[in-house]
Amino acid sequence: MSKSDFAAKTLVELADNKLNESLSLLKKELFNLRFQATLGELTNTSRFAVVRKDIARVKTEVTRRRNVGAK
């Protein structure tokens, strides 16, 4: 998934279940990247930063929705 997939405008349009699904997939990808790095198979180390930032974007949107719903 590219950065454009997780732009703020795109995240706002997603349903809650799709956000949670995206978060789950990103966490799995981060785990796989760590595993590849340990084995020495990782070629694109910059992918770590991209995935971590995407996770942060999704978590921020989830938190924003939870806070708006609580008010």
Side-chain angles (χ1 to χ4, degrees):
M1 298 185 162
S2 66
K3 182 178 177 183
S4 62
D5 292 341
F6 293 102
K9 293 178 185 176
T10 307
L11 290 176
V12 171
E13 297 169 357
L14 288 178
D16 291 342
N17 60 347
K18 289 291 184 181
L19 274 177
N20 290 329
E21 183 180 319
S22 297
L23 184 59
S24 174
L25 289 174
L26 287 167
K27 285 183 176 185
K28 286 179 184 178
E29 183 178 356
L30 186 60
F31 173 80
N32 288 334
L33 287 172
R34 288 184 183 135
F35 192 69
Q36 289 174 1
T38 302
L39 295 176
E41 298 175 355
L42 186 64
T43 56
N44 185 6
T45 57
S46 66
R47 188 73 182 135
F48 273 114
V50 172
V51 172
R52 281 196 312 260
K53 287 177 185 179
D54 286 344
I55 289 172
R57 285 184 187 99
V58 172
K59 282 185 170 183
T60 300
E61 180 61 24
V62 169
T63 302
R64 186 192 66 78
R65 288 183 188 190
R66 186 174 45 229
N67 289 341
V68 168
K71 289 183 180 180

